[in-house]
Amino acid sequence: MAATILVVEDEPAIQELISYSLRQAGHVVFCAENAEQAMAVVNDALPDLVLLDWMLPGMSGVEFARMLRHATRTKTIPIIMLTARAEESDKIAGLEIGADDYITKPFSPRELIARIKAVLRRRSPEVADDMIEIGGLRLDPATHRVTVNDQEVVLGPTEFRLLHFLMSHPERVHTRSQLLDGVWGDHVFVEDRTVDVHIRRLRKALETVAKDELIQTVRGSGYRLSAARNAGMG
Ligand code: CA
């Protein structure tokens, strides 16, 4: 699992230890010492997860978390709060502002990695490395292979990411702009019809294994991946 993680921590030794551990676990790490720097990183590109120290100079970690939760663009970023304070009331305050988890210092790198993995699996399944199988179609993020009964489906990198995203959130209807955010990244300016082009390529590839019907068009809304029969909406 390779996620992009923003570490907001003002103590250099702890920041270094955390970023070292995360890189060892295969993650891409950005560091910030305070909320202002962290905001600059977030404005540049949305990370998959934010590890946020409670006590920061200037704006506190809790205030920063609240800010992320209030902005449309950032409100769904998974947040794990780090704190030296073990009081139950703080934990409750942290979870109330919408943090996904809460880790008390000192913690072991192993515990940190496990908690990150659990939060990502729950909140952003497309970032996790889990094998997914729907309607006989199997996608392995670790090897980048898509197969049906051991027969391989050949996909371009964009079609692979698109399929991975759709299979990670099955049965849900995604608008073109949601797919652009989730698959292309939220700062990439491409037209909505780019999505249609790649959906068409993906269907064509899936046709070779008779699985193109998994990708359904929901008129006026967008696309959905479903193993249930398409009720004539395509
Ligand atoms: Ca601190």
Side-chain angles (χ1 to χ4, degrees):
M1 167 167 56
T4 302
I5 299 176
L6 168 61
V7 179
V8 192
E9 166 65 71
D10 59 308
E11 284 153 75
I14 299 179
Q15 188 194 91
E16 208 174 302
L17 178 71
I18 292 174
S19 52
Y20 175 79
S21 308
L22 296 181
R23 287 193 180 107
Q24 287 289 101
H27 298 297
V28 175
V29 183
F30 291 98
C31 292
E33 288 172 18
N34 53 48
E36 198 182 10
Q37 281 183 11
M39 207 29 134
V41 173
V42 168
N43 284 340
D44 195 40
L46 281 184
D48 294 315
L49 184 140
V50 179
L51 270 184
L52 183 56
D53 186 25
W54 182 289
M55 299 292 281
L56 292 170
M59 183 188 279
S60 77
V62 175
E63 281 303 308
F64 182 61
R66 197 171 281 138
M67 221 168 109
L68 292 177
R69 284 292 175 261
H70 280 152
T72 313
R73 180 171 168 261
T74 54
K75 69 180 175 198
T76 59
I77 297 185
I79 299 173
I80 298 180
M81 298 290 305
L82 303 174
T83 181
R85 321 186 325 172
E87 285 111 58
E88 194 63 21
S89 60
D90 288 347
K91 181 170 181 169
I92 291 165
L95 295 175
E96 264 174 2
I97 52 108
D100 294 275
D101 202 356
Y102 182 99
I103 304 179
T104 308
K105 295 176 190 172
F107 48 81
S108 70
R110 186 184 298 204
E111 183 190 0
L112 178 66
I113 301 296
R115 299 275 202 104
I116 288 173
K117 196 163 188 169
V119 167
L120 286 175
R121 186 164 284 157
R122 193 169 73 235
R123 295 284 312 280
S124 326
E126 76 276 9
V127 177
D129 252 352
D130 300 328
M131 174 103 74
I132 314 170
E133 186 165 350
I134 295 171
L137 184 69
R138 178 188 280 245
L139 181 143
D140 185 352
T143 59
H144 268 238
R145 289 186 79 216
V146 175
T147 50
V148 174
N149 295 327
D150 289 333
Q151 188 187 343
E152 186 156 2
V153 183
V154 181
L155 294 175
T158 305
E159 286 72 38
F160 181 87
R161 288 205 309 276
L162 182 57
L163 181 63
H164 191 191
F165 184 86
L166 290 169
M167 288 180 82
S168 302
H169 309 276
E171 305 301 332
R172 266 186 259 168
V173 179
H174 305 280
T175 64
R176 287 169 180 79
S177 68
Q178 282 167 344
L179 289 172
L180 284 174
D181 283 358
V183 178
W184 279 262
D186 78 317
H187 267 22
V188 180
F189 297 101
V190 285
E191 291 175 67
D192 280 7
R193 73 196 157 101
T194 304
V195 174
D196 302 332
V197 169
H198 288 279
I199 287 277
R200 209 174 306 137
R201 285 188 196 155
L202 177 57
R203 279 194 175 127
K204 198 157 189 183
L206 292 176
E207 246 175 49
T208 62
V209 287
K211 293 292 178 194
D212 51 304
E213 282 187 3
L214 287 174
I215 312 288
Q216 304 176 356
T217 304
V218 182
R219 217 158 260 167
S221 304
Y223 297 101
R224 165 177 63 201
L225 185 137
S226 174
R229 274 214 169 234
N230 189 348
M233 294 168 98

